[in-house]
Amino acid sequence: RAEFSQTFGHVLLHRGALEAAEQRFRELEELGRAAERGDWLARGLEHRGRVAWYRGRLDEARTLFEQGLERVPKAEEQIAADLHNDLGIVFYYRGDPDAAFSHHDLALRLRERLDDRLGLAKSHSNLGNLLLDFRDDLEGAEERYRRALELAREIGAREMITSTLNNLGGVATERGKWQEAMNWFREATRLQEEIGWSFLGYVTLQNQILCEIALGRIADALRHLRECLNRGDAFLEPVNRVRTRFLFFDAYLTALADEQAGTWLDDARRLAEELEVGEIEDELALREGRRLAARGDWRGAEAAFGGAEAAAAKLTHPPFETLARAQRSRAAARAGDQPPEHPVVESARRPPLAALIRYLNADAEREPSPEVAAELERAGEEAAGLGDVSLERAAFERAGDVWRDLGNSIREEKALARAAAALEALSAGLPEDLRAGFLAHPRNESLHPRS
């Protein structure tokens, strides 16, 4: 009976039936108490903690995992390793890298002693997540993910293979290798469809949408986002339900559909408050800054980006903190304030981030100069090399403005021609109902052919 409660509970959990899964795990916990089986009791607490985690109740999850560690028998190192792994994930979401690394290291050592290859794959994958998000170490993260994939393939663990393929796609995304990333995601999706793990299927689809938005394939992104919204909300944990709405905002803002973008950001904020999702505070503030910047409210944007920078520092998200600082610098300059020092990012590590920050830094300069125009054009060239047509359009458009202010009509025309070509490519990727509004938007006025 205990084994059935645990196994069936896992099936229900992966299908998004959280209430039914929790009931099964409570049964396992009660059976453990009645039979004085510490292993059953600890497992029941662990699995209930996972349900709480999927609901976004991280404090409750942490309490249940810690109670499980208190009750697990010393001989049950497998359960102890899993509980340390779970706590590492809680602290990852809470932005506490020291605690997260500590628990994942403990889990790894226990699993090495047990020669638990599935557990080792999970540990290497989770340590990769920490390296990627807390230490900005893409190479170290990729090495961990590849080790996890190797272990998972050795034992034929398809769920773990799927998860690790998704993670490798995430590294490729950060490097701007969008097609390589989508190849990883499609392979993960194929496996997910075979095993029916709906939760990871929608997370993978969200990651694919990130690539589609970067490439200006907004029609594809919106189609997939509607699938995430209409079918994925039943399976996704709270942070990823909010993420669906963030991505709607990103897609509509790229299409210059500012009102629709704002509606989705409001819905994301409402849902984050309702579900108590505090770990996306920096992302929420950054997008609020982008919305205000699109409206021309530069002082409001400056404040929002400052909030994003502070939240990213608190959550230990270095790349996000750097981006927020660059956005704040540009907003401050546009508002007439003294901008903070421009941030610098290593272009070889995260080329998309580097190109965006180069553009923001150049656009924050108050006085037009050939050097500013050249930096804007360099950002546009980097964006073009990545296939980021939205940033390419913006960078060359601004370069054209600077050349015009400098009285160099030849360079102005060349820059605006590049911006117009990117505009056409971006327009081609829009759904039909957004195309006319996009082309008529005031931001695109200077890019239309002159009569």
Side-chain angles (χ1 to χ4, degrees), residues 217-237:
R217 301 175 187 172
I218 305 303
D220 292 339
L222 289 172
R223 184 177 69 255
H224 290 140
L225 277 167
R226 283 188 282 272
E227 184 177 348
C228 283
L229 182 72
N230 296 332
R231 300 175 60 189
D233 259 16
F235 301 96
L236 291 167
E237 59 185 311

Side-chain angles (χ1 to χ4, degrees), residues 115-136:
D115 192 27
D116 173 13
R117 286 182 289 170
L118 176 57
L120 285 169
K122 292 178 181 178
S123 287
H124 283 296
S125 184
N126 286 324
L127 285 164
N129 294 339
L130 302 186
L131 291 168
L132 184 66
D133 292 335
F134 290 142
R135 293 185 179 168
D136 198 20

Side-chain angles (χ1 to χ4, degrees), residues 23 151 312 341:
Q23 181 57 41
L151 287 162
E341 183 179 349

